[in-house]
Amino acid sequence: MSYVAVASVLACVVGALNLVLVMGVIKRLREMSPSPTAEPPRVTLLPGDRPGPFTAEATDGEVIDAAGLTDSLVGFLSPDCSACKDQLPQFLAYAQAMGGRERTVAVLIGSPEELRDLAAQVGPVARVVMEPPFGPVATAFSTRGYPAVVLLDGAGTVSHSGATFATFPKPDRLMREAARV
């Protein structure tokens, strides 16, 4: 009879210990997970920031630098990024609506071999710069993830940025504002 009592007490102690450990794990997971109202992680410069100095050569041989990027859209894309593939149609449409190649730069991250198809897709509407991770343009824009899109105003200051175009103004409104200036 004493064996049954000892086994019952032991089972209760193990069950209570398990409950305490599970509650600790749940508390830790709640602390580590972002709240649903938290801001999305920063992927590039924030509005009001200015990109650092850089010089890069586009695939067509044009030299692009920070001083020349005013009233421009700059997108950072990687071929192995599923979110980049999802955002590509929006990037192409926004670039086309902004005036195409003259006001858009697509910075493609990776090796030239893996970027060939992506460059062919964005080339008609954007000047294409290919660079490895942490290249000069990505570094100048403090890019931390892909996709990243940045809209620069007439002074070369970031007016909008993020991983999507959700907070960006409609391109037709931008064109009307630029025409008034």
Side-chain angles (χ1 to χ4, degrees):
M1 184 81 115
S2 65
Y3 292 117
V4 172
V6 170
S8 295
V9 169
L10 185 60
C12 288
V13 168
V14 168
L17 181 62
N18 184 38
L19 182 62
V20 168
L21 290 174
V22 167
M23 295 298 284
V25 168
I26 290 172
K27 181 181 178 191
R28 178 64 67 118
L29 286 173
R30 283 185 179 161
E31 291 171 356
M32 290 174 42
S33 67
S35 84
T37 59
E39 290 185 25
R42 176 180 160 180
V43 293
T44 188
L45 295 174
L46 297 174
D49 293 340
R50 292 179 63 91
F54 71 87
T55 301
E57 186 174 337
T59 54
D60 63 1
E62 179 183 354
V63 175
I64 298 171
D65 61 13
L69 290 181
T70 58
D71 288 322
S72 298
L73 174 68
V74 182
F76 297 86
L77 305 165
S78 175
D80 57 354
C81 158
S82 62
C84 294
K85 291 175 184 154
D86 294 342
Q87 286 296 314
L88 186 59
Q90 288 179 313
F91 177 78
L92 296 174
Y94 205 94
Q96 185 66 42
M98 279 196 56
R101 294 177 55 84
E102 292 197 21
R103 296 185 62 200
T104 306
V105 175
V107 182
L108 308 182
I109 310 298
S111 69
E113 298 81 38
E114 60 188 357
L115 296 175
R116 190 170 295 121
D117 291 339
L118 186 55
Q121 288 179 291
V122 298
V125 296
R127 294 169 285 168
V128 176
V129 173
M130 294 183 187
E131 66 180 31
F134 310 109
V137 184
T139 300
F141 280 83
S142 299
T143 305
R144 299 177 182 174
Y146 310 108
V149 285
V150 176
L151 189 60
L152 299 168
D153 64 17
T157 303
V158 176
S159 64
H160 296 81
S161 67
T164 68
F165 289 94
T167 62
F168 281 54
K170 299 291 181 212
D172 57 338
R173 191 179 96 204
L174 281 175
M175 297 307 287
R176 284 193 306 270
E177 289 173 5
R180 274 190 259 144
V181 174

